[in-house]
Amino acid sequence: GAGVSQSPSNKVTEKGKDVELRCDPISGHTALYWYRQSLGQGLEFLIYFQGNSAPDKSGLPSDRFSAERTGGSVSTLTIQRTQQEDSAVYLCASSPRPQKEQYFGPGTRLTVT
Amino acid sequence: GQNIDQPTEMTATEGAIVQINCTYQTSGFNGLFWYQQHAGEAPTFLSYNVLDGLEEKGRFSSFLSRSKGYSYLLLKELQMKDSASYLCAVNLLTGGGNKLTFGTGTQLKVEL
């Protein structure tokens, strides 16, 4: 079956511009997560959605970052006024429910010039 | 705060056995995952431990001791394709639900 998909796969943007990253989770998965991974670093948790509950935004690094999940399925991560330190691979993962293994998408490589 | 430690790099020989250790200091522990990540690819799930003991799955086994804050991933009959980064991740029970905190990963190189 279809896995987690993300778009775009690569995004190059100028400093100060806004970007929107999209994640399509596996159908039926209620939990959705966003992470980012800088070169040679581990995964940094950003935000977690579970069903219709309020998201856990505790990992968002600044108020320039926001995310939403429409209809309990597709999610978009928005970064406003991008900075060079935002350059990283942004990974989305979904899970059939919390405490179960997470299935990762291929990621979006964001480069801020 | 949360702290997860794993060795940065390890090297092993094809056909051998390697053990990758992970120690953690966290609050709200709710299980531990191991993921494999090949360069340029997304992490893929290997194992999950929530109770003490050993979980075996083919060539891979994972062990957990909650009292010691310790886990290891054991890879047997190493193959060249096992060269990858191995990520230890602790599942934390938070007010908002569950979230994973990842270690920085152990880069395993398998040599002939």
Side-chain angles (χ1 to χ4, degrees):
Chain A
V4 178
S5 61
Q6 294 186 243
S7 61
S9 55
N10 277 285
K11 177 71 176 178
V12 180
T13 190
E14 292 180 352
K15 177 182 173 181
K17 301 278 188 177
D18 297 353
V19 295
E20 223 175 61
L21 312 179
R22 176 187 169 106
C23 171
D24 281 90
I26 294 173
S27 178
H29 281 196
T30 61
L32 187 147
Y33 307 79
W34 282 98
Y35 299 88
R36 73 177 175 182
Q37 188 172 31
S38 301
L39 190 63
Q41 301 297 311
L43 275 72
E44 176 189 2
F45 167 80
L46 296 177
I47 188 168
Y48 157 54
F49 295 89
Q50 170 54 40
N52 296 321
S53 303
D56 177 353
K57 304 179 182 180
S58 60
L60 295 178
S62 78
D63 58 9
R64 296 186 295 106
F65 288 71
S66 63
E68 62 177 22
R69 188 179 185 192
T70 54
S73 180
V74 172
S75 177
T76 55
L77 176 70
T78 302
I79 309 173
Q80 295 178 309
R81 305 181 302 281
T82 51
Q83 304 293 314
Q84 287 187 329
E85 62 262 28
D86 299 335
S87 296
V89 176
Y90 289 80
L91 290 161
C92 173
S94 71
S95 176
R97 60 183 185 274
Q99 299 183 50
K100 297 297 288 183
E101 62 267 27
Q102 297 179 17
Y103 297 84
F104 284 82
T108 294
R109 181 174 296 279
L110 175 66
T111 303
V112 182
T113 60
Chain B
Q2 322 293 350
N3 194 41
I4 301 173
D5 288 314
Q6 7 176 178
T8 305
E9 295 179 339
M10 297 184 72
T11 302
T13 305
E14 188 180 35
I17 298 173
V18 70
Q19 178 174 312
I20 303 174
N21 296 324
C22 173
T23 57
Y24 62 89
Q25 293 174 309
T26 65
S27 56
F29 178 85
N30 199 26
L32 188 144
F33 291 83
W34 284 95
Y35 283 83
Q36 179 191 59
Q37 186 177 26
H38 285 99
E41 297 181 11
T44 55
F45 169 76
L46 289 178
S47 69
Y48 174 56
N49 295 69
V50 65
L51 300 176
D52 291 351
L54 188 68
E55 295 280 341
E56 297 186 80
K57 189 187 294 185
R59 294 190 297 115
F60 293 6
S61 303
S62 58
F63 171 83
L64 175 67
S65 169
R66 289 172 297 172
S67 62
K68 295 181 180 178
Y70 168 67
S71 173
Y72 68 72
L73 180 69
L74 193 71
L75 291 76
K76 304 175 186 176
E77 302 168 16
L78 280 173
Q79 302 175 9
M80 298 298 289
K81 67 178 182 180
D82 297 330
S83 293
S85 182
Y86 290 84
L87 307 173
C88 171
V90 174
N91 196 30
L92 302 175
L93 187 62
T94 70
N98 291 267
K99 70 180 186 184
L100 286 184
T101 296
F102 283 82
T104 54
T106 298
Q107 188 66 45
L108 174 66
K109 182 178 180 182
V110 180
E111 299 179 329
L112 291 172

